[in-house]
Amino acid sequence: MSQIESQITEDFLTALGETESFDEEVVDRLRRLLSAAGPKVKPDDVVKALESKPASTPS
Amino acid sequence: MINLDGITIKEFRGVRELSIAPNRKSFVVSGPNGSGKSGVVDAIEFALTGDVSRLSGKGTAGLSVATHGPHVTKRDDPAAAAVTLDIFVPSENKTVKLTRSVKKPKVAVIEPKDEKLRAVLERVAAHPEITLSRRDIIRYVIIEPTERSRQVQTLLKLDGIGQLRATLKTASNRAATAHNTAKTAAAAARESLKRHVDLEKLDSDEVLLVVNRNRAILGLAALSEMKADTHVLQGAATDATFATFNKESSLRDIAALTEQTATISDRVREPLDRVREILSQLSAEPDLLDRIRRRAFVEEGLTFVDAATCPLCDSAWPDIDALRAHLQEKLAKAAAAEAIEAELLDNAARIAVEARQLALSVNAVVPLLRGEAWVAFADEVSTWNSHLDGLGRGLDSVDEIVARSDVLAGDWLAPPPDLTARLDALAAEVAALPDQTASANAQTFLALLQDRLDASRRARRAALAAELTASRAALAYKTFCEVSEHGLRSLYDTVEEDFAAFYRAINSDDEAGFKAKLEVSDGKLDLSVDFHGQGMFPPGAYHSEGHQDGMGVCLYLALMKQVLGDDFRLAVLDDVVMSVDRDHRRQFCRLLKTQFPNTQFIITTHDLVWARQMRTEGVVDAKGGVNFHGWSVATGPVCEELSEIWVDIETDLAKNDVPAAASRLRRHMEYVTSELADELGARVRYKGDGNYDLGDMLSPVIRRQGDLLGLAAKAAGSWGNESEVELVRDLKEKRSAILTRHGDENWILNKAVHFNDWAQFSRADFEPIVAVLKDLLLLFRCSTCDSWLRVLPKLGDPESLKCDCGAISLNLKPKKTS
């Protein structure tokens, strides 16, 4: 990735981390994925990275 | 990133063998058109990237580095064609030698083998825009906005941003689809649960009442609340197995399936009609379907482009950019198809949801089809269930929908024959069963409730997880769009500001108020520029070609400043300001010097005036250049490089190759005397055919020099300038001594002897000629800056005789006497 792309990707991850929906673990998974595959990351891998382990059983 | 110390080119493009030494400083390669300057640019680009843009991209079909990289006489010997760069890497404070041969263009041999240095060179290789030709600068200025956006994004290495944005959008769509599927399953499971408890609304308190009523019948203690992990048979014997047939619940399941089957057609009418219309359109217009299919195919293919070979068909392309451009053009053409595709998928998804819900209802009834009488119907229902399940899961893509065209066009629901009647019969049979005992009823009710609670909980968990994933995916896409647009906007703001400032700097005389606007929208990059305060227009609207060239270079410099920042240490500019006039080029020199003091520019030009301007303005130093004054297939560029030409001639003579030495000397002398005739204002006899040879120019040039030194001596004396008197006297004495030797050899230089005859001479005859001409030329040249002396002004009475650096500056105007 170019410097500009890297900067935008980093800003993107930082912005996600500041939202309630994204905990640190998910952001880390996404960061690892993007740093390994870059822009050629597969959509299904992105979806997988965004999944959470099941939380408490709902009533 | 890097500076160039030296460039050695062997048998590459138009160059046979050439070494030049920029020594980490800016360097100018000058010479007329066809003298081989661009060969140097190609060589640098090849060494750094393994490619030559002149041999790739649009309009270069049939050309390749492998075939056309080597010198034309070495086209069958690619190993002979090689370029070596001596490179300085400032970040490591180290030098490295990089060699690349046409035989293995992708292999950069570096010495020393240092991983950090290799990493730097790999980064350089990813920036082919370090070399810029005039053809390239037009890409940024006179071009339509979509293509400009693509070119600029490629230059800025931003193509990955668009790619990642598309991937996040696809991910978001897929997560949304998965969420919808999970939601449908959860709703169906909840509906099944609600039906079982026979409540209008699934309220936990009301469910608790029902549960405790049945538990009481079984003698189980009442539960205090319904929690997420409550087991409704809690407290029953742990090894008990519970039957799950419950008469009342089963009757409700059958009734629900009957009702759903009867009403589903109304619910899907609208989406089904639209799907049928679109499928008819696709059937009537096979080209439309092809465009939709290709779009998805190409979109997928684009994500796999990582080399100049198409990932879809394995076709070889000249370069990766050309391949990407081709695929993106195909995508753009499929834009209309994209809208139809979206509508088809949306309506099909609505049908799929209904099919999945119906399949879940069927599932609840299947266990009731027990006994001989129901075997055949059970098989039919099972087949129908598979059909519904297939529809529910198999309408996600255009190809899947098209594959089910016949089904969707006809009896898409395809229920078993006499379904309603047979369900009625089933209901009657269940209703006719003896009522269960209160205890059995309570037990089966609770067991089935637990099953459905578990299924509903699982489905709800899955739906909540899918919802969270979908909302994250949507947020990720939205956030990326916002962050990237903000990043790009601020980047383009900076580029716009720098571009306008650079352009104003080189046009301060006539466009000091110049403004520019770069606007990004829908994948386009609009560039508008101010024209003398009359408004903002596209750059090609009113500005001259020269001004457009200036804009192109300024935009390039502004972009490079953004791309590389402090790492913008090298740029190779191939005749890029050829249309810019002399005064503006001077300003351009100052721009390079002031704004890019740490950047080494390798600049080619066919204009000797500009080459000289670059020296006088300090962009290049006195020795920072080479002038090509001729080219032939046999020799490649012939350099006017003082030391090199004489070394080459000596080398020829050492090999007893007088013809080669004579050819070199004659070309050099013809070039230099024509230059000197022009610079000194020598009076050469006019020839109508313009075909001047050495004999036409040498004597007038020598005579003119004598006249000028005479003027200088007279002027110095009239002003009482003793040091200049001394200097001129010294020059005249040297000249006299050389001309005496020249006279001794005059037989051989005499016009009567055709200079082609030199080739017939022996080495012993020729060596004195070489020596005297070498010394003779030194009289016309500054030993400090190596520039030729010239008279100023060029027209009118001569006022001074000077070199580029000012070390020699002789006044030619005597003091006026009253």
Side-chain angles (χ1 to χ4, degrees):
Chain A
M1 273 198 274
S2 67
Q3 278 178 338
I4 297 163
E5 283 176 337
S6 300
Q7 186 59 52
I8 285 177
T9 305
E10 191 50 46
D11 290 349
F12 161 60
L13 292 168
T14 305
L16 286 186
E18 287 167 359
T19 64
E20 282 181 12
S21 309
F22 282 79
D23 55 38
E24 205 175 315
E25 191 189 332
V26 179
V27 174
D28 278 351
R29 273 208 302 268
L30 204 50
R31 186 190 306 281
R32 281 197 298 275
L33 183 66
L34 292 177
S35 95
K40 287 181 185 167
V41 61
K42 300 277 181 299
D44 287 341
D45 290 340
V46 173
V47 174
K48 208 170 168 185
L50 298 178
E51 285 170 358
S52 285
K53 288 178 183 173
S56 60
T57 310
S59 60
Chain B
M1 290 186 280
I2 61 166
N3 294 131
L4 297 183
D5 270 333
I7 305 160
T8 303
I9 308 166
K10 287 185 179 170
E11 306 292 4
F12 187 79
R13 302 289 287 148
V15 180
R16 300 303 306 266
E17 185 159 0
L18 177 70
S19 288
I20 53 178
N23 294 321
R24 305 177 197 177
K25 295 175 186 168
S26 289
F27 195 85
V28 58
V29 180
S30 55
N33 291 333
S35 61
K37 302 182 299 297
S38 294
V40 176
V41 174
D42 292 346
I44 296 171
E45 184 187 8
F46 172 71
L48 293 177
T49 68
D51 197 12
V52 177
S53 51
R54 201 187 307 276
L55 297 177
S56 57
K58 283 183 181 172
T60 56
L63 301 182
S64 70
V65 174
T67 311
H68 306 100
H71 186 267
V72 65
T73 61
K74 297 286 180 183
R75 57 189 183 277
D76 296 326
D77 184 12
V83 183
T84 298
L85 300 180
D86 291 298
I87 292 170
F88 174 64
V89 181
S91 59
E92 302 296 317
N93 196 27
K94 285 181 181 171
T95 56
V96 57
K97 193 180 281 286
L98 163 67
T99 300
R100 205 185 285 268
S101 101
V102 173
K103 189 172 183 187
K104 292 182 178 174
K106 297 299 170 198
V107 179
V109 179
I110 70 162
E111 192 61 46
K113 291 177 176 56
D114 180 315
E115 283 313 306
K116 282 187 179 172
L117 295 175
R118 182 173 289 282
V120 171
L121 295 179
E122 281 174 0
R123 198 175 154 226
V124 173
H127 288 275
E129 68 278 2
I130 280 175
T131 61
L132 179 79
S133 69
R134 183 164 188 273
R135 186 183 55 171
D136 296 325
I137 63 173
I138 294 303
R139 292 192 310 194
Y140 305 122
V141 178
I142 310 301
I143 197 168
E144 58 95 15
T146 308
E147 183 59 12
R148 179 186 295 114
S149 174
R150 198 185 74 75
Q151 296 284 357
V152 169
Q153 292 219 355
T154 302
L155 176 82
L156 291 172
K157 304 283 174 217
L158 298 177
D159 17 358
I161 291 176
Q163 205 175 341
L164 186 50
R165 185 164 41 211
T167 301
L168 290 173
K169 173 109 172 86
T170 307
S172 176
N173 289 342
R174 287 186 189 173
T177 303
H179 176 219
N180 281 336
T181 305
K183 239 178 10 182
T184 306
R190 191 174 169 84
E191 187 58 34
S192 165
L193 175 63
K194 193 171 77 156
R195 200 162 58 234
H196 178 66
V197 295
D198 199 21
L199 291 171
E200 281 294 313
K201 199 174 144 199
L202 271 183
D203 177 85
S204 63
D205 290 341
E206 288 193 35
V207 172
L208 186 65
L209 282 175
V210 174
V211 168
N212 283 337
R213 193 164 57 233
N214 285 278
R215 284 177 64 86
I217 295 168
L218 295 175
L220 297 171
L223 300 176
S224 58
E225 58 180 333
M226 286 294 291
K227 293 196 293 192
D229 56 352
T230 297
H231 196 291
V232 294
L233 278 164
Q234 182 185 323
T238 52
D239 58 348
T241 54
F242 300 106
T244 53
F245 171 74
N246 181 276
K247 183 177 169 182
E248 295 304 319
S249 185
S250 298
L251 287 171
R252 288 194 290 276
D253 285 341
I254 297 167
L257 178 58
T258 305
E259 196 268 338
Q260 248 184 298
T261 308
T263 56
I264 192 169
S265 295
D266 287 340
R267 289 198 301 278
V268 301
R269 179 165 294 120
E270 185 192 327
L272 185 63
D273 285 350
R274 189 62 193 127
V275 165
R276 285 172 173 166
E277 281 169 22
I278 294 173
L279 287 174
S280 297
Q281 190 183 354
L282 293 178
S283 173
E285 299 175 46
D287 184 48
L288 177 60
L289 182 58
D290 281 349
R291 288 209 304 275
I292 291 174
R293 281 180 173 145
R294 275 201 298 265
R295 193 187 157 280
F297 186 56
V298 170
E299 196 172 51
E300 186 78 2
L302 255 174
T303 66
F304 289 101
V305 172
D306 57 5
T309 302
C310 179
L312 306 174
C313 66
D314 281 341
S315 301
W317 281 75
D319 64 50
I320 192 166
D321 288 342
L323 171 58
R324 277 208 185 106
H326 173 73
L327 294 177
Q328 271 158 346
E329 195 178 324
K330 277 188 176 297
L331 269 188
K333 281 184 182 167
E338 184 182 7
I340 292 174
E341 181 185 14
E343 197 181 0
L344 180 63
L345 291 174
D346 180 53
N347 284 289
R350 291 168 64 187
I351 299 169
V353 166
E354 293 292 342
R356 282 198 300 270
Q357 282 177 334
L358 189 58
L360 289 167
S361 294
V362 174
N363 270 336
V365 170
V366 167
L368 305 177
L369 299 170
R370 282 177 294 195
E372 276 302 309
W374 296 105
V375 170
F377 186 54
D379 283 346
E380 287 169 32
V381 168
S382 182
T383 304
W384 184 44
N385 201 18
S386 300
H387 165 73
L388 293 173
D389 196 53
L391 278 176
R393 296 173 192 278
L395 298 177
D396 287 345
S397 72
V398 172
D399 279 337
E400 285 175 322
I401 299 166
V402 169
R404 288 183 161 83
S405 291
D406 291 344
V407 172
L408 292 165
D411 181 13
W412 73 279
L413 190 59
D418 304 323
L419 177 67
T420 308
R422 290 156 97 177
L423 287 176
D424 288 348
L426 178 65
E429 186 177 298
V430 171
L433 289 173
D435 286 343
Q436 293 171 300
T437 64
S439 170
N441 186 51
Q443 178 258 304
T444 55
F445 177 85
L446 289 175
L448 197 52
L449 173 59
Q450 187 60 47
D451 276 359
R452 295 193 180 186
L453 260 179
D454 290 344
S456 180
R457 286 167 176 164
R458 279 196 303 273
R460 177 128 191 257
R461 275 199 300 273
L464 284 174
E467 182 182 16
L468 181 57
T469 304
S471 74
R472 281 177 178 161
L475 184 59
Y477 172 65
K478 180 171 168 275
T479 305
F480 189 81
C481 289
E482 286 169 0
V483 167
S484 61
E485 275 163 27
H486 175 75
L488 291 179
R489 184 61 263 166
S490 88
L491 182 144
Y492 285 132
D493 282 349
T494 312
V495 169
E496 176 186 297
E497 205 173 295
D498 285 341
F499 162 59
F502 294 165
Y503 185 81
R504 281 195 299 272
I506 64 173
N507 295 278
S508 54
D509 55 337
D510 54 352
E511 289 191 84
F514 178 82
K515 288 181 292 190
K517 191 79 195 154
L518 273 170
E519 291 198 84
V520 195
S521 62
D522 299 334
K524 295 177 184 173
L525 184 59
D526 280 302
L527 172 62
S528 53
V529 295
D530 166 74
F531 185 71
H532 296 276
Q534 299 298 306
M536 301 297 279
F537 304 96
Y542 297 111
H543 280 90
S544 70
E545 198 177 335
H547 285 86
Q548 288 170 24
D549 274 9
M551 281 182 213
V553 181
C554 289
L555 184 54
Y556 167 79
L557 291 172
L559 289 167
M560 290 304 282
K561 192 177 157 189
Q562 282 305 304
V563 177
L564 296 174
D566 291 341
D567 281 340
F568 184 34
R569 303 293 295 255
L570 173 67
V572 183
L573 309 180
D574 188 11
D575 235 351
V576 292
V577 290
M578 56 191 281
S579 302
V580 175
D581 63 38
R582 183 180 178 146
D583 285 342
H584 290 126
R585 282 189 309 218
R586 180 176 290 115
Q587 299 300 330
F588 180 63
C589 287
R590 289 173 188 165
L591 173 74
L592 296 185
K593 203 177 157 193
T594 55
Q595 294 291 325
F596 301 94
N598 297 320
T599 305
Q600 177 188 30
F601 292 98
I602 308 290
I603 300 173
T604 69
T605 178
H606 66 284
D607 187 336
L608 290 175
V609 174
W610 193 44
R612 191 174 298 126
Q613 274 181 315
M614 283 188 257
R615 287 198 177 89
T616 53
E617 293 298 329
V619 173
V620 298
D621 67 20
K623 297 192 177 178
V626 63
N627 185 37
F628 295 165
H629 59 79
W631 182 91
S632 70
V633 170
T635 63
V638 182
C639 305
E640 182 229 356
E641 209 290 320
L642 197 58
S643 57
E644 291 288 326
I645 186 74
W646 303 112
V647 169
D648 290 345
I649 290 171
E650 279 171 26
T651 306
D652 291 337
L653 290 177
K655 291 189 284 189
N656 237 354
D657 191 352
V658 177
S663 167
R664 231 183 264 280
L665 180 61
R666 184 179 161 216
R667 276 179 173 281
H668 184 64
M669 289 301 298
E670 283 180 346
Y671 163 71
V672 173
T673 52
S674 67
E675 281 293 298
L676 288 172
D678 182 51
E679 296 288 11
L680 301 179
R683 291 182 181 174
V684 179
R685 189 171 63 85
Y686 176 75
K687 291 172 80 170
D689 62 2
N691 190 14
Y692 298 92
D693 66 17
L694 181 56
D696 297 317
M697 291 179 291
L698 185 57
S699 293
V701 165
I702 291 172
R703 268 200 304 278
R704 177 61 171 168
Q705 187 202 33
D707 293 345
L708 293 170
L709 288 179
L711 283 175
K714 191 175 166 188
S718 73
W719 291 98
N721 186 341
E722 288 305 318
S723 63
E724 198 153 300
V725 167
E726 187 70 20
L727 176 63
V728 175
R729 186 183 300 128
D730 185 47
L731 282 171
K732 288 175 85 172
E733 281 171 7
K734 280 183 187 164
R735 179 174 183 274
S736 176
I738 291 168
L739 289 183
T740 302
R741 285 167 56 206
H742 178 249
D744 291 344
E745 306 297 344
N746 209 30
W747 67 274
I748 211 163
L749 284 169
N750 193 296
K751 176 107 174 53
V753 177
H754 196 283
F755 295 104
N756 281 341
D757 291 344
W758 281 356
Q760 311 300 322
F761 293 168
S762 70
R763 178 179 168 183
D765 286 334
F766 199 67
E767 279 177 335
I769 300 304
V770 174
V772 74
L773 290 178
K774 182 179 176 184
D775 289 344
L776 181 67
L777 292 188
L778 288 179
L779 288 174
F780 294 86
R781 194 157 198 161
C782 169
S783 60
T784 305
C785 68
D786 277 349
S787 69
W788 299 112
L789 302 185
R790 64 182 192 279
V791 167
L792 293 174
K794 202 148 188 173
L795 298 174
D797 292 337
E799 293 179 6
S800 63
L801 179 67
K802 60 200 304 182
C803 66
D804 285 350
C805 72
I808 297 176
S809 180
L810 301 177
N811 177 24
L812 301 178
K813 285 188 81 173
K815 188 176 183 181
K816 284 184 182 169
T817 52
S818 54

